[in-house]
Amino acid sequence: MRAGSEAVETDSLAELPREESTVEATALTELPSGRAFLKPHRLVLIAIAAVIVFCAIWFLRWDWLPQYAGALVAGVGVTLAMLASTSILGFCLAVPIGLVQVTGPWWLRLPARGFCTVIRGTPLLLQLWLLYYGLGSLFPQFPEIRQSFLWPYLREAWPYGVAALTISFAAYEGEVMRGAFAGVPPGELEAARAYGMSRWKLFRRIWLPRAVHRALPTLNGETVLQLKSTPLVATITVIDAYAVISKVRQVTYLTYEPLLLLALIYLVLTALLVAGFRYFENRIPNRSA
Amino acid sequence: MAADMINWGLLALDPPGWGGVLLGGLMNSVKIALGGYSLGLVLGTFGAFGKLYGGPVTRDLMEVYTTLVRAVPELVLILLLYYAGTDLLNRVSAALGYGSVDISGLAAGIFVIGVVQGAYSTEVLRGAILAVPPGQIEAARAFGMSPLMILRRVTLPAMLPHALPGLSNLWLIATKDTALLAVVGFSELTLVTRQAAGTTKAYMLFFCAAGVLYLLLTLVSNLVIRLIEARARRGWAALR
């Protein structure tokens, strides 16, 4: 944590606590390593866990599973599509939002900061319902929108889900990118300027890559948090993995089985995501001492 | 034109308006957030100390707890804990011969938010305790202090400034997580907002009003957090 920049930044009242301080506490970002994992007491624990899993498979009801397997796979696909599209779109928005807060004029800096504060200060579920029920009820009143080519999409639920998740990711990650842009050593930027690089070239070659590199560990956590936010879109009738499981629960009246399977699905997805990030992080050369 | 379309009377505090209902929902949200956050802090303190100083089995069990909570969406955890928790409690009381018990939504909500927050604060507190120079704790041990006295006099006060940024963020997360209880039908702010909006068809007005209430809660909390941080760091001025 950089003490100097922190003292400057805490002046503004609308400044919420730093996002970086809890990302790793609220999102899984590391997997257990293979070495030193198997110890004597762990063998006992694993045996107990195996017995519990066996009991869960043997005594609980799983006969509904084959019937819904296809829908479940499609639902997981929707979840992953939501995650990928909103993370990429949100990151593209987060870069300018972070940048203008560091270097922009006040008429760009203040709206960007206000955007981050408002989005980070209200629950995602409320934002989602505001877009879906609020905007969704306003749009039909305007004949221009009803006749535009967008109307067939605006009558569906998923564009509102994508919009809400993208805005949310942009706000949280924009906050992280602001810290990352501010944290690039000024000497590197001065050196680039001394080489006669234009402002755009400096940004493209030095500032952005260095900032993204600094933000990578947090980006991992933010993506896991985004995965954990995706089931909310089921509340506005998008059929993702969570919605399929809700359907199973309504039809079969089972309490435990569908929810346990859903938790397992998200656990596996999170593990895959973390493993993927670790693979890419290892491929990026890290020469900073 | 827009001013004519908005019927501000709907936000009046008295029954034709829904303002009182919204404020009641906000009170419920704050109650759950306070209760869940406090429960989470207690669980987190035990969790952090278990993870740092416990035996190998305790450590692994804590690791499983924090891993599961950090990898599974809050919404799924809330459903699982809410339905499975009430179901288990009912079965236990039926087995003991008390018949089915009626669990209040408030208690269930606090329990659910508390278990989730417990895992998050375990991680925050563990990191903060690790940031305390080990020499300070060793010195306390060398003076013959009992573990409880070390906790009270050295570890907790010394780690607090390190833990505050994380803990204050967790408080904001707790206030926002209460909105998820709308999905299990607890009448906190988000759910009553949706009911008000659905009844009156004034969706934009009510969702924006609820957003303002949440934002006010966040900003007021932020103000209090500033004061607490300034006090906890009063000895740090020279360090900066």
Side-chain angles (χ1 to χ4, degrees), chain A residues 12-13 15 18 22 24-25 28 41-42 120-122 125 129-130 133 172 228 232 242 249 256 259 266 270, chain B residues 56 60 70-73 79-80 83-84 87 120 166 169 176 179-180 194 203 207 211 214 218 222-223 226:
Chain A
S12 146
L13 185 73
E15 192 83 6
R18 299 176 70 82
T22 43
E24 287 189 5
L28 189 72
H41 74 277
R42 289 230 169 96
R120 288 180 63 206
T122 51
L125 188 62
W129 287 359
L130 173 74
Y133 295 109
Y172 285 95
K228 289 168 64 178
L232 290 181
Y242 177 87
R249 288 178 52 222
Y256 297 97
L259 283 176
Y266 279 110
T270 306
Chain B
D60 282 356
R70 289 188 302 153
V72 176
L79 281 186
L80 204 56
Y83 289 115
D87 183 51
Y120 297 165
N169 228 351
K176 286 183 281 173
L180 298 179
R194 190 177 158 179
Y203 290 100
F207 281 121
Y214 275 114
T218 300
N222 210 20
L223 209 61
R226 287 286 163 71

Side-chain angles (χ1 to χ4, degrees), chain A residues 113-165:
Chain A
R113 177 163 295 181
F115 170 79
C116 287
T117 304
V118 169
I119 299 296
R120 288 180 63 206
T122 51
L124 177 57
L125 188 62
L126 189 79
Q127 297 160 15
L128 193 65
W129 287 359
L130 173 74
L131 288 185
Y132 183 66
Y133 295 109
L135 281 186
S137 70
L138 277 190
F139 281 155
Q141 296 172 9
F142 297 99
E144 299 88 1
I145 295 178
R146 288 181 75 108
Q147 277 144 26
S148 78
F149 69 99
L150 283 172
W151 181 241
Y153 300 104
L154 290 178
R155 287 168 62 189
E156 307 244 347
W158 62 265
Y160 299 97
V162 169
L165 286 174

Side-chain angles (χ1 to χ4, degrees), chain B:
Chain B
M1 183 198 113
D4 306 332
M5 285 168 63
I6 299 173
N7 181 3
W8 293 103
L10 288 173
L11 289 179
L13 289 179
D14 299 317
W18 289 77
V21 180
L22 289 196
L23 287 183
L26 179 67
M27 276 312 295
N28 273 339
S29 289
V30 172
K31 270 186 213 160
I32 290 205
L34 272 178
Y37 186 68
S38 314
L39 179 60
L41 271 187
V42 174
L43 288 179
T45 313
F46 281 111
F49 278 90
K51 249 187 163 179
L52 286 172
Y53 306 117
V57 176
T58 316
R59 279 185 204 198
D60 282 356
L61 290 181
M62 293 294 160
E63 192 67 44
V64 169
Y65 167 50
T66 56
T67 302
L68 282 181
V69 173
R70 289 188 302 153
V72 176
E74 280 102 336
L75 189 59
V76 178
L77 287 175
I78 282 173
L79 281 186
L80 204 56
L81 290 170
Y82 193 87
Y83 289 115
T86 48
D87 183 51
L88 272 183
L89 205 59
N90 267 325
R91 282 191 194 184
V92 167
S93 82
L96 292 175
Y98 293 114
S100 76
V101 282
D102 202 22
I103 299 145
S104 83
L106 188 70
I110 288 177
F111 167 73
V112 165
I113 297 286
V115 170
V116 174
Q117 285 278 319
Y120 297 165
S121 37
T122 296
E123 291 295 308
V124 167
L125 292 177
R126 190 182 69 104
I129 293 173
L130 284 176
V132 176
Q136 295 185 0
I137 297 173
E138 277 163 24
R141 219 171 277 152
F143 271 110
M145 291 190 190
S146 71
L148 262 183
M149 192 182 266
I150 296 178
L151 175 71
R152 193 162 51 84
R153 284 206 182 153
V154 181
T155 316
L156 283 183
M159 73 158 196
L160 200 59
H162 297 287
L164 271 180
L167 289 183
S168 43
N169 228 351
L170 285 189
W171 161 249
L172 298 182
I173 290 175
T175 60
K176 286 183 281 173
D177 272 357
T178 57
L180 298 179
L181 291 169
V183 176
V184 292
F186 182 73
S187 55
E188 47 65 64
L189 182 52
T190 304
L191 189 64
V192 296
T193 305
R194 190 177 158 179
Q195 286 161 351
T199 313
T200 59
K201 304 292 173 208
Y203 290 100
M204 276 313 241
L205 176 68
F206 278 112
F207 281 121
C208 288
V212 169
L213 286 181
Y214 275 114
L215 199 60
L216 277 180
L217 178 60
T218 300
L219 292 180
V220 169
S221 311
N222 210 20
L223 209 61
V224 178
I225 288 165
R226 287 286 163 71
L227 296 177
I228 298 175
E229 269 193 350
R231 181 168 164 74
R233 289 193 182 169
R234 63 199 185 281
W236 279 27
L239 257 176
R240 198 191 68 72

